[in-house]
Structure formats: C-alpha cells, structure tokens
Amino acid sequence: VNAVMNFIILVCTSWLAQIPIHIGRLLVATALGTAYAVYLVFYPASRFGAWPAKIAASILILATAYLPLSPRRFFRVAGYFYLVSFTLGGAALAVYYLNQGQILPTGGPRPGISWWLLALALALPLALARFTWSYFKQGRWQHQLKATLIVDWRQQQVKVPSLLDSGNMLLDPLTGAPVMVVEALALRGFLPEKILDLIEAEIRGGLDLGQLEQLLTAKQYAARFRVIPFDSLGHENALLLGFRPDRVQVKYRAQTIPVPKAVLGLAPGQLSPEGGWRALISPEVLLPYLDGTLGKER
C-alpha cells in the first residue's frame, strides 16, 4: 500500500511541476520511501522516526527522483510533493472514517485500509484537483485576455465583453483600418432590425449582397457600411459586413484606449458558445497605445 501511494504521489508531483516522468528514477525513489516506512513499522520509537528524520527522508526521495534542478525549482517541487502527500493522506483517512472504520493501526504487517478504500481515496482528490486546476487555469487565461469594446454611435454607447485574439488579422481593404469582429446582435439598438436580420441570415446561406444594397441605399448613413472579404476555418472567400461607428475604444485592465478609424465586422450568431465574450480584438491594435504591459506578457 505504501509503495503504491508513494509512486502515485511522485507521478502527481511530476505532473504538477511539469517535470518529465522517468519511471526508473520514480521506482527507486518509491523503494526508498517504502523501505523507510517499513523501518518505522518495526522501530516506531527510533530516533529516525522523529520529524527531522522524516523531512530528511522526503528530501532524499525527491533528490533521487528529480535532481538535478535549480534550488528554486527544487523547493517548488517539494511544495507540490507535500501538498499531494497531505491531500491524498487526508482523503484516505476521510474515506476510512466515513466507512465507520476504527483508528488506523500503526503497526503490524497487514495494511490498515482496504484496497477499494485506497482506490476511492486516490480517485476523489485526483479528480477534484484536475477539475480545479483546469478551472483556475482557464479562468486565469481568460482574465488576461479579456477586454471591453466601447462603441459610440449617434449619442448612444454600448459596451461589449471582448477577447484579445491574435488570430484576428482582418483589415478594411479600403482604409487599412483594423477590423474588430463583433456579434451583430450585440449592437442591437444601433443598427436597423432589417440589417440585423440580413446578417443573421448569413448562417443559412451567406450574405445577400442584392438585398443588402437595397437596404443601404435607403439609409442616410450607408457610407458607414462596407463589405469585407475574409478567410477562416471553414469559410473561404467569405464576406463580412463592416460598420464604422462614431468612436471605438477598448478598455483593457486600467486603460481605455481609443482606436481611430476602427471598423466593426458584424458576425452572425455567437462567437463564444458560453457567451463569455461577444467580440474579438487583435492585440496588435492595442500595442501602439499601451505602456508595454501587453508586450511583456505576450
């Protein structure tokens, strides 16, 4: 039981610390930890059972499994090792007590916990740790790339949750201005409903240029619209309706950055399945106006 626990703890430590797994070294380190545990079973009152000796034994195990490492990275690996050890150990005790077991025996040749309880105690924290790690990693990634698109048009203003996307390299072919892709429905109230309906119809059959021409010729601000060709995954030689409002700004962290002559590419449907953002902005648009913060993170 101890050998299995030791090996799993070392594998989890390697995974968290992003260190390549060398099975041979992990097996040797597992054997050292298991031998020390067996020694403590037969000689629990030995001076080698005190906490300084236990720390020294754990450092020896880590050194066998992972050295050579820089001191800073070794301390980080040690932190992951103790975190995983305490988490799995606590989970094993919790599952054992939930099963209405008695106090774990500290001596004797037989394990004090059954194999199925050990497997359950390992599965629960590992599944929880993986979910928590993915959740916070995704949240941190989205937090770093989140921005707010501020659009002004005819004394109206709308704020659109956005995402910085280095894959958005669209430019207006007439002026060379950057194109920020925005869900058309995010600008409801700015644009006539007939134009929104026409854009949403793109999902079914593409942009109807004839119908678009009829709609725009009847509007005084037809010069604000233009057709932008683009290519993307699954859409080659496609067309996107562009709209140039009175003013466009991007709020990124503590800065509000004006983007002159920006064009909004009106996209049908949803850009994010979860609805977390409704516009895509190229980071290159913001770089000339930032103080270097974004450039350092890229």
Side-chain angles (χ1 to χ4, degrees):
V1 172
N2 186 274
V4 171
M5 290 288 288
N6 286 344
F7 185 76
I8 291 177
I9 289 171
L10 289 172
V11 170
C12 292
T13 301
S14 302
W15 171 59
L16 289 174
Q18 298 182 353
I19 295 177
I21 296 177
H22 299 286
I23 298 298
R25 298 188 63 177
L26 295 190
L27 289 176
V28 173
T30 296
L32 288 176
T34 304
Y36 179 67
V38 171
Y39 172 84
L40 293 181
V41 170
F42 290 99
Y43 304 99
S46 169
R47 62 179 181 177
F48 293 106
W51 66 266
K54 293 180 179 179
I55 294 178
S58 64
I59 293 176
L60 177 61
I61 293 172
L62 292 173
T64 302
Y66 302 116
L67 284 183
L69 293 174
S70 66
R72 181 178 180 180
R73 194 174 186 191
F74 184 80
F75 281 119
R76 182 180 300 175
V77 169
Y80 285 131
F81 175 80
Y82 295 129
L83 175 64
V84 174
S85 300
F86 296 151
T87 301
L88 294 184
L93 288 176
V95 171
Y96 189 86
Y97 289 134
L98 286 175
N99 195 44
Q100 298 181 347
Q102 299 178 354
I103 298 177
L104 290 172
T106 57
R110 299 179 62 83
I113 184 171
S114 62
W115 283 103
W116 75 268
L117 287 177
L118 177 62
L120 181 60
L122 290 173
L124 289 178
L126 287 178
L128 180 61
R130 187 173 184 85
F131 172 79
T132 304
W133 179 267
S134 300
Y135 177 81
F136 282 106
K137 187 177 181 180
Q138 182 180 15
R140 180 182 178 186
W141 170 77
Q142 291 188 1
H143 176 73
Q144 291 179 345
L145 298 181
K146 277 186 175 181
T148 301
L149 180 66
I150 305 173
V151 183
D152 291 276
W153 167 248
R154 289 193 169 184
Q155 299 181 348
Q156 297 183 69
Q157 185 179 88
V158 64
K159 296 182 179 180
V160 183
S162 309
L163 189 74
L164 301 185
D165 177 22
S166 59
N168 177 15
M169 305 299 293
L170 280 178
L171 297 176
D172 181 5
L174 296 178
T175 64
V179 177
M180 303 178 183
V181 180
V182 185
E183 292 179 10
L185 294 180
L187 302 180
R188 187 183 294 275
F190 276 24
L191 306 177
E193 289 294 330
K194 291 184 178 180
I195 291 182
L196 290 177
D197 293 340
L198 182 63
I199 295 172
E200 292 301 311
E202 291 184 50
I203 300 177
R204 297 186 296 271
L207 187 62
D208 189 335
L209 295 179
Q211 190 176 356
L212 176 64
E213 182 180 6
Q214 293 178 3
L215 288 174
L216 294 183
T217 52
K219 300 297 179 182
Q220 297 179 354
Y221 50 85
R224 296 279 185 165
F225 290 88
R226 68 277 319 272
V227 176
I228 302 170
F230 74 96
D231 291 328
S232 67
L233 186 63
H235 296 84
E236 294 184 0
N237 301 320
L239 299 175
L240 190 68
L241 182 61
F243 169 64
R244 183 169 57 85
D246 292 334
R247 184 173 66 166
V248 174
Q249 302 175 88
V250 176
K251 184 176 182 181
Y252 179 71
R253 298 193 175 181
Q255 300 186 61
T256 300
I257 304 145
V259 185
K261 300 180 180 180
V263 176
L264 306 182
L266 306 177
Q270 287 186 313
L271 296 177
S272 166
E274 301 83 10
W277 61 86
R278 306 187 71 183
L280 297 174
I281 303 171
S282 172
E284 302 296 332
V285 173
L286 307 183
L287 285 178
Y289 308 99
L290 291 175
D291 55 7
T293 303
L294 183 62
K296 293 178 182 178
E297 292 181 356
R298 295 177 70 242

